Amino acid sequence: MENVSGPPTDDRAIRDIRLLPKAQPGVLTADGRLDRPKLGALVFADDDKRATLNAIVHPLVRARSVELESAAGEEDIVVHDVPLLVESELTGLYDMVVVVDASPGTQLDRLVRLRGMAESEARSRMAAQATRERRTAAADLVIDNDGPLEKLEPQVRAVWERLVERAAADG
């Protein structure tokens, strides 16, 4: 199987959105790259700014998704990594939804320790997202990400095998 997937919202694509700097001032670095931490801090603290960003980005992401799906062969599997999938009520656009789940405590720890967020910012970001219960209820498959990487890898492998089996059965 050929990998035809790619990040649908890479920095280059977002930089090309002329409305973004006007809608979210200060989100580009001096060299024109997207300042993801700054953008995240802005939009997760303000529902209106998040809605504005979503209105700009979602149509472009959907267009890129359609492009990737169209380029895929019958035997290919296209995996979309969609932030805020449940919150945006986009689950119906996909054949299968896989949620990588972690407890709120683990999420908080990782946002603070690994991404360098202040605890208040991390809690604000978590509060703006769908609850754990809502995310897992929307999932066809759930991967537990509360443990170390060594426990995550076999789960991801098992999900991939299931996707390959399903694609073979459908093909």
Side-chain angles (χ1 to χ4, degrees):
M1 284 183 223
E2 181 184 349
N3 178 5
V4 296
S5 184
T9 56
D10 62 11
D11 283 355
R12 183 178 39 90
I14 291 176
R15 275 198 317 270
D16 291 342
I17 304 169
R18 297 189 204 305
L19 296 174
L20 187 58
K22 292 177 185 171
Q24 311 292 342
V27 297
L28 299 181
T29 62
D31 64 355
R33 295 180 50 89
L34 180 66
D35 187 335
R36 288 181 183 271
K38 190 168 193 173
L39 178 62
L42 285 171
V43 301
F44 281 105
D46 184 314
D47 291 342
D48 290 336
K49 287 183 180 182
R50 190 167 53 256
T52 299
L53 177 65
N54 288 341
I56 294 168
V57 173
H58 285 182
L60 296 169
V61 170
R62 187 64 197 142
R64 179 66 174 140
S65 294
V66 168
E67 180 184 319
L68 291 171
E69 291 165 9
S70 297
E74 295 250 342
E75 71 284 349
D76 292 328
I77 297 171
V78 179
V79 176
H80 300 275
D81 180 4
V82 184
L84 305 176
L85 176 76
V86 174
E87 296 83 346
S88 301
E89 299 180 0
L90 298 174
T91 58
L93 298 175
Y94 302 96
D95 295 329
M96 180 178 279
V97 174
V98 178
V99 169
V100 181
D101 177 58
S103 69
T106 299
Q107 289 177 308
L108 181 63
D109 172 65
R110 289 176 179 167
L111 289 170
V112 171
R113 186 172 46 85
L114 300 177
R115 293 200 184 171
M117 287 185 191
E119 185 174 330
S120 60
E121 181 184 350
R123 287 186 185 281
S124 173
R125 181 171 296 206
M126 290 170 59
Q129 297 175 357
T131 64
R132 183 181 197 187
E133 293 76 16
R134 189 168 162 220
R135 283 191 312 273
T136 56
D140 296 296
L141 297 170
V142 177
I143 297 174
D144 175 24
N145 191 17
D146 254 335
L149 197 55
E150 299 79 40
K151 287 189 175 187
L152 182 64
E153 289 176 14
Q155 293 180 79
V156 172
R157 229 176 271 110
V159 165
W160 180 252
E161 289 170 11
R162 186 164 172 190
L163 292 174
V164 169
E165 289 170 6
R166 180 178 172 174
D170 290 347

